[in-house]
Amino acid sequence: MMKPIEKKWKLFLFTFVSLLVLTLAACGSSDKSSTESGKSDGKASDDDVIELVVNSWFSSDADVPNNVWKPWEKYVEEKTEGRVKVTVHYNGALAASNEVLEGVKSGLFDVGDTIALYYEDSQLFPLTIGELPFAAGGDPDKAAEIMKEFSAEYLDEIWDGVVKVGVGSPPPNYAFSTKPIDNLNYMKGKTARASTELEALLVESMGGAPTQVSFEELYNSLDKGMIETFFTTKDVFAAMQLADVAPNYLDQPVKIAVGTALMNEDFFNSLPKDLQTLFAEDINPKWEELYKENARKVMERNDEVAKMAKESGGTVTKFSEKELLELQQYAVPVWEQWVKNANEKGYPGDEMLKRYIEISKKHGVELEFLK
């Protein structure tokens, strides 16, 4: 016969275990994401607060975060009346600039921004035509409009598995040098930083020696004489204090980048229908508007950059229209190589170039050097 104390002990143990199981079950239920706890079709319910996680490779105090991401974050939360909360991770905390496409597609984060040049071997390849030398006349506004129209003809290829937030262009790249840029052959026999194969081809076409140097080592490489010329934006030139080591520059744009922001397709599809419409018709276009405005704001400081260069003993050069056209001839082999690359990737390279030239002309940009 069971003793009373044993009976009480077993009853206590059974009660304890039962309560533990119920507690764990409750915790497991509360840990579900908004998508899992929403409707049975995988969409978040209208009462859920949805977190939208952004990865940006810029530091939190840079121009793009201050002029684009922070205002966009506020805009999203206001337009959705608090139903969507944006969390931005800066400094590439979740993925580096060349890992954004994979990070978005895998769902590591919901939205990410990047530059097309990092994705020459991916589905974003068609965007890289806008980054070729002297494209769009170096005008960010025109570059954005040209690429918006051009990319619309390759929607299935470029945005496969992702949702386009926007396409635009940051401020243009200029040619900087440790020595004055006083003639068209200023790069001949000099070492120049080249970050891509096509940029290396441009350097070679101009008579220079392409050299790989990381962005972080740019200042030291110039200071030590490892490189003598390079291409970058004026805001980067100012922020990195490069006037100390390379105070000379050509005040006519050489090339311009194509920036884009991508959204995870599953995240977009999980949104209630009204929010999908809001993002597609209002919130995402707002990102493009802010990105375009960022370039304008940064370029308003151009006079400060010229002053900085001159105070460091540098010269600011401008070629005549005739000279500039001669300089642009150095870019022809780069455009030809892009067409070859496109053909090898299975794209209609010649047709794409023809369309880009036509669309550029429509927006007031004559690419005379390609005629």
Side-chain angles (χ1 to χ4, degrees):
M1 184 175 180
M2 184 180 294
K3 295 180 181 180
I5 192 168
E6 292 178 6
K7 192 172 183 178
K8 289 181 181 180
W9 170 249
K10 287 190 175 184
L11 181 59
F12 169 79
L13 187 61
F14 174 79
T15 304
F16 174 79
V17 172
S18 299
L19 288 172
L20 181 61
V21 170
L22 289 172
T23 301
L24 290 174
C27 290
S29 175
S30 64
D31 285 340
K32 289 183 179 180
S33 67
S34 60
T35 299
E36 291 173 324
S37 61
K39 300 176 182 178
S40 59
D41 61 1
K43 295 185 183 296
S45 71
D46 292 343
D47 296 329
D48 289 331
V49 175
I50 303 163
E51 182 180 27
L52 190 160
V53 178
V54 174
N55 177 80
S56 178
W57 53 288
F58 294 94
S59 62
S60 61
D61 59 350
D63 288 306
V64 170
N66 285 325
N67 296 332
V68 182
W69 287 119
K70 293 174 184 177
W72 193 73
E73 175 183 343
K74 183 178 179 182
Y75 189 81
V76 170
E77 295 178 4
E78 287 179 351
K79 277 292 179 176
T80 63
E81 298 179 337
R83 292 166 63 193
V84 178
K85 174 179 172 54
V86 179
T87 302
V88 185
H89 296 270
Y90 296 109
N91 292 303
L94 303 179
S97 55
N98 60 351
E99 300 170 335
V100 171
L101 179 60
E102 295 79 6
V104 169
K105 294 187 84 167
S106 69
L108 180 61
F109 41 90
D110 304 312
V111 172
D113 62 339
T114 191
I115 300 294
L117 68 87
Y118 297 123
Y119 293 92
E120 290 181 318
D121 295 321
S122 79
Q123 65 195 62
L124 302 184
F125 172 78
L127 297 179
T128 63
I129 192 171
E131 299 185 325
L132 295 177
F134 305 107
D139 185 323
D141 281 350
K142 291 182 179 179
E145 292 305 313
I146 291 169
M147 287 312 302
K148 187 175 180 179
E149 185 171 344
F150 178 84
S151 64
E153 299 184 7
Y154 301 93
L155 291 177
D156 293 339
E157 293 89 347
I158 299 173
W159 315 117
D160 179 37
V162 296
V163 174
K164 181 186 80 168
V165 175
V167 173
S169 288
N173 279 242
Y174 295 82
F176 294 87
S177 175
T178 57
K179 303 268 176 56
I181 301 176
D182 51 11
N183 62 72
L184 299 176
N185 298 313
Y186 81 93
M187 194 180 286
K188 191 171 183 178
K190 293 184 175 65
T191 52
R193 179 178 184 262
S195 55
T196 67
E197 290 184 8
L198 290 180
E199 192 168 80
L201 181 57
L202 175 63
V203 170
E204 290 174 349
S205 180
M206 296 176 71
T211 306
Q212 285 192 338
V213 169
S214 69
F215 179 78
E216 293 77 11
E217 289 298 318
L218 186 53
Y219 186 102
N220 289 335
S221 298
L222 288 161
D223 190 37
K224 296 175 181 178
M226 293 174 60
I227 59 171
E228 299 164 271
T229 69
F230 60 98
F231 305 110
T232 195
T233 59
K234 288 182 179 179
D235 55 310
V236 168
F237 175 78
M240 295 184 70
Q241 299 294 313
L242 295 175
D244 295 344
V245 287
N248 309 284
Y249 70 90
L250 174 64
D251 200 17
Q252 289 159 308
V254 174
K255 60 178 190 161
I256 195 163
V258 175
T260 184
L262 313 168
M263 179 179 288
N264 176 269
E265 193 172 53
D266 290 336
F267 173 83
F268 180 82
N269 291 335
S270 74
L271 297 172
K273 284 293 183 183
D274 66 315
L275 288 184
Q276 289 184 24
T277 300
L278 188 61
F279 269 89
E281 297 181 358
D282 187 327
I283 293 175
N284 289 349
K286 181 65 176 180
W287 185 92
E288 285 190 333
E289 179 186 322
L290 291 169
Y291 200 76
K292 186 184 292 188
E293 183 63 25
N294 171 68
R296 295 195 196 106
K297 289 180 178 179
V298 172
M299 292 175 72
E300 288 174 358
R301 304 197 299 265
N302 281 353
D303 289 343
E304 298 174 20
V305 176
K307 182 180 178 182
M308 183 185 300
K310 290 176 181 178
E311 288 178 347
S312 297
T315 58
V316 179
T317 303
K318 271 196 174 182
F319 292 133
S320 66
E321 288 187 17
K322 181 181 177 182
E323 290 173 322
L324 183 59
L325 185 57
E326 289 181 39
L327 181 69
Q328 291 172 342
Q329 295 300 317
Y330 288 125
V332 173
V334 183
W335 287 75
E336 292 175 342
Q337 185 59 51
W338 187 92
V339 171
K340 291 178 182 177
N341 292 347
N343 290 333
E344 289 174 0
K345 294 175 186 296
Y347 292 98
D350 295 282
E351 179 185 322
M352 294 173 81
L353 176 59
K354 181 181 178 182
R355 282 296 296 140
Y356 184 82
I357 293 174
E358 290 172 349
I359 293 171
S360 296
K361 185 175 181 179
K362 176 182 173 182
H363 290 277
V365 177
E366 295 278 357
L367 300 174
E368 294 183 20
F369 64 97
L370 294 177
K371 296 179 179 177

